[in-house]
């Protein structure tokens, strides 16, 4: 996101999935587009890598709970 906004429209889509904890430990994220993406990693919600993408940072600061009961 730019500090000086341009006339444009951004759409950010967040998706959530529930996974089996035992299965996730064995999974390794794969980067299938290495020329477009630096990589994939698993992070705990309370220990996200920084800097965050602007929309995600707003969600975190707004107390968004990705794990509602």
């Amino acid at each position: 996101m730019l500090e000086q906004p341009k006339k444009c429209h951004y759409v950010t889509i967040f998706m959530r999935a529930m996974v089996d904890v035992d299965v996730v430990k064995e999974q390794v994220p794969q980067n299938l587009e290495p020329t477009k993406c630096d990589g994939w990693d698993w992070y705990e919600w309370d220990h996200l890598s920084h800097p965050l993408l602007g929309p995600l940072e707003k969600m975190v600061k707004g107390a968004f709970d990705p794990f509602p009961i």
Side-chain angles (χ1 to χ4, degrees):
M1 299 295 179
L2 304 172
E3 289 194 23
Q4 295 297 319
K6 291 183 176 180
K7 283 191 164 193
C8 56
H9 179 80
Y10 294 96
V11 175
T12 304
I13 300 171
F14 291 99
M15 300 176 79
R16 178 179 62 192
M18 303 300 285
V19 296
D20 184 326
V21 174
D22 294 326
V23 173
V24 134
K25 290 178 183 176
E26 300 170 11
Q27 302 276 330
V28 177
Q30 295 180 19
N31 184 359
L32 300 179
E33 295 184 298
T35 60
K36 298 179 182 179
C37 176
D38 288 336
W40 293 97
D41 287 306
W42 297 113
Y43 292 96
E44 296 288 330
W45 180 252
D46 295 331
H47 299 95
L48 297 174
S49 177
H50 290 277
L52 296 174
L53 177 70
L56 179 57
E57 183 177 22
K58 288 180 183 179
M59 288 174 66
V60 171
K61 287 181 177 179
F64 173 77
D65 182 3
F67 307 104
I69 297 175

